[in-house]
């Protein structure tokens, strides 16, 4: 109560509201899907006049992104893998994708998928100065493990 006027002042306590807003922001930051988490910025894509934006596919499309640096090394989660380690990583990824496809087919009561024909789209982001022999070796290793769908990334000449 104010001594001079006899009025009662009511001021809301904003602390609980700020706490809820902070918790919501934290929640959404944890669950958001960062689309560029597989794209290594050290890879400088080649420039192609015919490069076009890819139409967005189904959200549930299975993808595997391979970043290849200028020395032909596979970049996974910031680590540079030698060619032998890259071959092991491709084998591991194929095994994971194969098990996931089998579980999905079992869950949906579908026929067992062909283990030599994975439906995963392999997106290859290769540096513009990578030796072709290194790129070819990685693509061949992917094909030997059952990957059949490939997308090669490039930058548009105008962008």
């Amino acid at each position: 109560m104010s001594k001079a006027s006899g009025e009662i002042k009511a001021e809301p306590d904003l602390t609980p509201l700020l706490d809820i807003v902070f918790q919501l922001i934290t929640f959404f930051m944890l669950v958001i899907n960062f689309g560029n988490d597989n794209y290594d910025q050290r890879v400088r894509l080649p420039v192609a006049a015919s490069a076009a934006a890819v139409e967005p596919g189904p959200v549930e499309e299975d993808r595997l992104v391979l970043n290849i640096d200028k020395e032909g090394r596979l970049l996974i989660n910031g680590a540079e893998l030698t060619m032998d380690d890259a071959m092991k990583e491709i084998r591991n990824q194929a095994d994971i994708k194969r098990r996931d496809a089998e579980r999905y087919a079992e869950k949906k009561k579908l026929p067992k998928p062909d283990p030599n024909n994975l439906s995963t789209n392999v997106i290859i982001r290769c540096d513009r100065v990578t030796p072709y022999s290194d790129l070819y070796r990685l693509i061949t290793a992917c094909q030997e493990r059952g990957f059949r769908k490939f997308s090669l990334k490039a930058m548009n000449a105008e962008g």
Side-chain angles (χ1 to χ4, degrees):
M1 192 184 275
S2 175
K3 293 180 182 179
S5 66
E7 294 179 11
I8 298 175
K9 286 190 175 181
E11 294 182 13
D13 183 13
L14 296 180
T15 305
L17 178 65
L18 293 173
D19 186 42
I20 290 172
V21 169
F22 176 72
Q23 288 181 14
L24 285 171
I25 290 171
T26 304
F27 171 76
F28 287 117
M29 288 187 68
L30 290 173
V31 298
I32 193 167
N33 181 10
F34 294 102
N36 293 332
D37 58 351
N38 294 323
Y39 300 117
D40 197 302
Q41 297 302 316
R42 293 175 286 181
V43 175
R44 296 176 326 162
L45 294 176
V47 177
S50 62
V54 178
E55 294 93 31
V59 174
E60 66 274 354
E61 178 186 43
D62 192 17
R63 296 182 303 171
L64 173 62
V65 179
L66 300 179
N67 292 288
I68 305 167
D69 71 2
K70 58 186 172 186
E71 281 87 28
R73 295 176 299 213
L74 187 61
L75 304 174
I76 298 283
N77 297 326
E80 300 171 351
L81 303 181
T82 63
M83 193 57 75
D84 291 333
D85 290 338
M87 298 302 156
K88 290 176 188 173
E89 181 63 26
I90 290 170
R91 183 179 333 112
N92 292 339
Q93 290 295 325
D95 291 342
I96 291 168
K97 301 297 183 183
R98 199 170 285 112
R99 281 193 302 266
D100 288 348
E102 289 171 1
R103 283 190 206 121
Y104 180 79
E106 188 176 299
K107 179 180 169 186
K108 297 289 185 178
K109 308 278 191 254
L110 299 171
K112 189 173 181 180
D114 181 2
N116 297 317
N117 191 6
L118 296 171
S119 63
T120 302
N121 185 16
V122 179
I123 299 170
I124 298 177
R125 298 182 74 250
C126 188
D127 195 276
R128 60 183 74 164
V129 296
T130 302
Y132 177 74
S133 59
D134 293 337
L135 174 62
Y136 180 76
R137 188 170 173 194
L138 286 170
I139 291 174
T140 303
C142 289
Q143 289 174 330
E144 288 171 356
R145 295 294 170 195
F147 293 110
R148 299 290 180 252
K149 292 170 54 179
F150 295 90
S151 298
L152 299 174
K153 294 296 179 184
M155 288 187 345
N156 191 300
E158 295 143 10

